[in-house]
Amino acid sequence: MTSFNLAPSVRALKEDKATWKSRFHQLKVKSVYGGVDPDFRAATRDLYFRELRKQLNAIDRFQSDAGERPILARIMLLRAIRTAPLVRFSRSHWVELNDHHTDLLQALYGRVGAIKALRKSVFSIRTPESIEPSLERLDRVPTFRLMHRLGQEGLKRTA
């Protein structure tokens, strides 16, 4: 299992959703910017906290449900693991990534390639055991390395 808990101090990084200003900002980000914040630090934090955690939880659910309900587990995995947020992030912040963070950009596109390979193997009619090699490319170690890089970049901007 890849489940993990974040420290309580991490909650301080999240914005207060009760104010109208933060709600308006969230609405603007979703509608105008396609879900990617124009601020590099905020977009990195969103990708770190929201998208990668969602992918890890989807992999855990697939591994636990694949034996009992293989079709439903595949549908849920396909629905949760997407390349669009990663590609949108890299397209929105391409100047920053190309100028200062080429290793992070390479890690993101390595992740996109691994997701595409996983989706291709899930679409093909195979047993859940044959999907495992594709899942290993997305599971714990590569995800935590990417999360570490994203966390470093998000914290660099605050210092």
Side-chain angles (χ1 to χ4, degrees):
M1 286 276 161
T2 322
S3 60
F4 54 92
N5 295 323
L6 294 174
S9 60
V10 171
R11 292 187 193 103
L13 294 174
K14 294 185 177 181
E15 296 178 1
D16 182 25
K17 296 182 181 179
T19 64
W20 67 271
K21 192 175 184 180
S22 65
R23 287 182 185 170
F24 178 72
H25 178 72
Q26 290 171 358
L27 179 67
K28 183 175 71 170
V29 165
K30 286 183 181 178
S31 60
V32 176
Y33 298 111
V36 177
D37 202 313
D39 179 33
F40 183 76
R41 187 179 129 249
T44 304
R45 193 173 57 229
D46 285 347
L47 196 65
Y48 176 89
F49 285 116
R50 192 170 13 120
E51 190 61 34
L52 292 178
R53 287 189 59 169
K54 187 170 110 176
Q55 289 179 3
L56 285 175
N57 289 335
I59 290 170
D60 285 344
R61 265 182 300 182
F62 176 78
Q63 289 173 339
S64 64
D65 293 345
E68 298 171 8
R69 301 174 284 173
I71 295 174
L72 183 63
R74 286 176 190 225
I75 291 170
M76 296 303 288
L77 183 68
L78 287 173
R79 197 170 146 240
I81 296 185
R82 304 170 302 144
T83 60
L86 299 172
V87 172
R88 248 187 267 126
F89 171 77
S90 65
R91 285 183 181 164
S92 298
H93 299 287
W94 65 274
V95 173
E96 178 81 18
L97 288 169
N98 282 328
D99 289 346
H100 304 291
H101 310 291
T102 55
D103 58 336
L104 179 61
L105 184 63
Q106 290 173 352
L108 283 172
Y109 275 98
R111 181 92 178 169
V112 167
I115 289 172
K116 286 181 180 180
L118 174 67
R119 290 178 67 89
K120 185 177 178 181
S121 67
V122 168
F123 272 124
S124 65
I125 302 182
R126 295 184 183 171
T127 62
E129 293 81 24
S130 65
I131 297 173
E132 287 298 322
S134 299
L135 277 175
E136 288 176 9
R137 290 181 58 196
L138 286 178
D139 205 11
R140 296 172 183 93
V141 175
T143 301
F144 287 131
R145 283 184 185 148
L146 180 59
M147 288 175 85
H148 178 70
R149 285 185 181 162
L150 288 170
Q152 283 180 336
E153 296 309 321
L155 291 175
K156 275 184 191 176
R157 303 293 174 224
T158 59

